[in-house]
């Protein structure tokens, strides 16, 4: 396994693979890898001849009061997980390699980025789209793998690829959870022991919502109310949002029909966690 920080070396390596007719799978990450990331890598490994993982904490997608400086980083641990999982190449650039002096070109989107996380993180998705498109141009993957935990991001990337004719297939992969139900996240490391226990309210509340949907409830307000009521039983939880939207457009719905995303964002102490489920009604 190679670890490169230079765009030119990644491009040269991938071009050599493609000259041999090899397919390339890509998993973009911000590092501090866990079993959720490994599940993406494992799927990429099964479906492609070569696998590239990027590890880059992208400053462009963090707001001024967010956790860019404190975001957990451990390249040595990440590299071991990648090597054990059969990754061929890690791309680990510095910020000045990705964003040259005077950088002023961005990818933006109307609609899909204004709801859910876009309300409280208004610059976030512009940063995500810009860095992901740059990574796609650098790695030129046949397939790229994203987790459903970041469901709005998955929908945004799918739309960007379609709208901008990017020749990469986007593969969404299931949420990976701890045994007690908490969705795997690099930000879980911020939680104290008490907060870690309190964070289980996210998956518990969504379970109640999913049981309602599975029983035939199609009123979005009723589903949101049930989830909200359960979240409010946890004193350490502060709700950012509880929403029901059409998955492909991230448009709020009154009645559940088609492919629907039920998504929540909750602060446990100072740590903002997200979780969701997708239902086909």
């Amino acid at each position: 396994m190679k670890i490169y920080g230079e765009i030119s070396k990644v491009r040269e390596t991938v071009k050599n693979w493609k000259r041999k007719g090899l397919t390339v799978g890509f998993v973009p990450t911000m590092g501090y890898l866990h079993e959720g990331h490994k599940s993406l890598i494992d799927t990429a490994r099964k479906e492609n001849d070569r696998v590239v993982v990027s590890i880059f904490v992208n400053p462009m997608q963090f707001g001024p009061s967010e956790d860019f400086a404190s975001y957990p980083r451990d390249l040595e641990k990440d590299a071991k997980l990648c090597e054990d999982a059969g990754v061929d190449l890690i791309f680990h650039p510095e910020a000045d390699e990705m964003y040259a002096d005077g950088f002023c070109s961005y990818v933006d989107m109307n609609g899909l980025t204004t709801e859910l996380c876009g309300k409280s993180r208004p610059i976030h998705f512009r940063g995500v789209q810009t860095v992901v498109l740059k990574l796609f141009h650098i790695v030129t993957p046949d397939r790229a793998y994203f987790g459903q935990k970041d469901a709005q991001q998955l929908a945004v990337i799918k739309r960007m690829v379609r709208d901008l004719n990017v020749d990469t297939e986007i593969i969404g992969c299931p949420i990976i959870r701890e045994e007690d139900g908490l969705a795997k996240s690099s930000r879980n490391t911020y939680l104290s022991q008490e907060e870690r226990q309190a964070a289980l309210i996210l998956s518990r509340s969504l379970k109640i919502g999913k049981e309602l949907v599975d029983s035939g409830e199609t009123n979005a307000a009723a589903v949101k109310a049930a989830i909200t009521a359960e979240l409010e039983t946890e004193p350490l939880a502060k709700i950012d949002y509880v929403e029901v939207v059409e998955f492909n457009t991230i448009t709020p719905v009154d009645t559940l029909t088609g492919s629907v995303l039920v998504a929540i964002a909750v602060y446990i102490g100072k740590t903002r966690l997200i979780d969701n489920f997708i239902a086909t009604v």
Side-chain angles (χ1 to χ4, degrees):
M1 185 184 72
K2 303 291 186 183
I3 302 177
Y4 292 145
E6 300 84 10
I7 292 170
S8 59
K9 288 185 177 180
V10 175
R11 281 181 162 158
E12 181 184 4
T13 300
V14 173
K15 283 178 181 177
N16 286 336
W17 290 340
K18 292 201 167 187
R19 287 189 195 103
K20 299 174 184 176
L22 302 176
T23 57
V24 178
F26 178 45
V27 181
T29 83
M30 292 205 302
Y32 216 73
L33 306 182
H34 50 66
E35 287 88 345
H37 297 105
K38 185 177 181 299
S39 72
L40 304 180
I41 294 168
D42 289 344
T43 305
R45 180 75 278 165
K46 291 174 186 174
E47 297 181 355
N48 302 276
D49 300 312
R50 297 289 184 268
V51 175
V52 178
V53 172
S54 63
I55 296 175
F56 178 59
V57 183
N58 176 33
M60 191 184 291
Q61 68 193 65
F62 288 80
S65 61
E66 294 180 344
D67 57 342
F68 173 71
S70 61
Y71 194 86
R73 297 160 169 87
D74 190 340
L75 180 60
E76 185 177 347
K77 176 173 168 285
D78 291 346
K80 185 177 189 314
L81 183 150
C82 287
E83 189 157 32
D84 290 348
V87 170
D88 299 282
L89 171 61
I90 292 175
F91 178 40
H92 180 56
E94 297 295 331
D96 58 4
E97 179 75 3
M98 292 295 289
Y99 303 115
D101 285 345
F103 184 91
C104 59
S105 301
Y106 304 91
V107 182
D108 215 338
M109 182 181 291
N110 295 323
L112 277 77
T113 60
T114 57
E115 297 293 333
L116 306 184
C117 292
K119 286 184 176 180
S120 59
R121 306 185 72 190
I123 69 167
H124 175 69
F125 286 110
R126 184 175 81 161
V128 169
Q129 291 171 89
T130 301
V131 78
V132 169
L133 187 60
K134 284 173 66 66
L135 289 167
F136 285 171
H137 286 319
I138 293 163
V139 178
T140 61
D142 297 281
R143 302 174 187 89
Y145 299 81
F146 294 82
Q148 183 194 306
K149 184 178 77 68
D150 298 294
Q152 185 176 15
Q153 173 179 274
L154 175 60
V156 165
I157 297 301
K158 282 186 171 183
R159 175 59 65 86
M160 180 188 76
V161 162
R162 190 184 79 179
D163 287 354
L164 301 183
N165 305 109
V166 181
D167 192 19
T168 297
E169 181 183 2
I170 305 301
I171 311 291
C173 298
I175 297 173
I176 303 298
R177 299 183 179 276
E178 305 282 0
E179 287 186 10
D180 57 12
L182 183 66
K184 297 270 189 181
S185 170
S186 302
R187 289 189 168 95
N188 291 348
T189 59
Y190 297 159
L191 300 171
S192 68
Q193 188 171 350
E194 181 185 13
E195 290 170 342
R196 171 66 179 74
Q197 190 63 30
L200 298 179
I201 195 66
L202 277 81
S203 56
R204 286 207 304 271
S205 67
L206 285 175
K207 183 179 179 184
I208 289 171
K210 189 170 190 313
E211 287 171 351
L212 259 183
V213 175
D214 289 345
S215 70
E217 180 62 72
T218 59
N219 185 297
V223 175
K224 289 164 62 174
I227 293 171
T228 300
E230 180 65 15
L231 288 170
E232 288 176 342
T233 66
E234 173 50 63
L236 294 182
K238 178 185 175 185
I239 297 171
D240 183 359
Y241 64 74
V242 176
E243 295 290 351
V244 180
V245 300
E246 200 281 321
F247 174 58
N248 292 309
T249 62
I250 313 297
T251 304
V253 298
D254 295 323
T255 303
L256 279 70
T257 181
S259 183
V260 176
L261 170 66
V262 180
I264 62 176
V266 179
Y267 285 92
I268 303 295
K270 294 182 179 180
T271 305
R272 184 177 182 276
L273 301 175
I274 59 174
D275 203 346
N276 66 78
F277 68 86
I278 296 173
T280 302
V281 182

